Amino acid sequence: MLAVVKTQESEVRDRIAYLLENVVKEMASGAEGIEVKYASGERTTVYQINVPQEHRGKLIGAQGKNITSLRNILAAMAGSHGFRAIIELVV
């Protein structure tokens, strides 16, 4: 039973990572080299976004509004599945 729950949680995290990667690619005008990885702990998952330097500004947005909105959406999606989620930009 526990293995089934862990598998479902992993599937949810994979789907969120896939969605996050596609959204970031669209925000960066289809840029190549965008990669989303995640590391999950007991109650928190950290999504690491690797974006080329020349597209990082588009992702962050004016006064950080784009990345803040993306973080809010991610938190809502993760919260509905019972875990916390954090976005880190890989430099």
Side-chain angles (χ1 to χ4, degrees):
M1 179 71 172
L2 185 60
V4 172
V5 172
K6 290 291 185 185
T7 302
Q8 289 173 344
E9 289 176 359
S10 179
E11 289 176 10
V12 167
R13 287 175 171 87
D14 287 339
R15 287 196 322 257
I16 290 175
Y18 176 77
L19 178 65
L20 190 58
E21 185 173 334
N22 286 322
V23 168
V24 171
K25 282 182 180 178
E26 287 300 319
M27 290 174 71
S29 304
E32 296 295 322
I34 293 174
E35 188 176 33
V36 176
K37 296 180 184 178
Y38 69 89
S40 57
E42 183 76 23
R43 303 274 306 155
T44 303
T45 301
V46 178
Y47 289 89
Q48 299 172 334
I49 302 175
N50 190 359
V51 181
Q53 180 68 34
E54 60 271 11
H55 298 287
R56 206 164 284 149
K58 292 178 184 178
L59 178 62
I60 295 171
Q63 298 177 353
K65 288 183 181 182
N66 289 350
I67 193 70
T68 300
S69 298
L70 200 55
R71 285 178 171 146
N72 288 336
I73 292 169
L74 180 68
M77 286 190 299
S80 69
H81 292 286
F83 65 95
R84 286 184 63 225
I86 298 170
I87 292 179
E88 281 186 357
L89 293 178
V90 179
V91 179

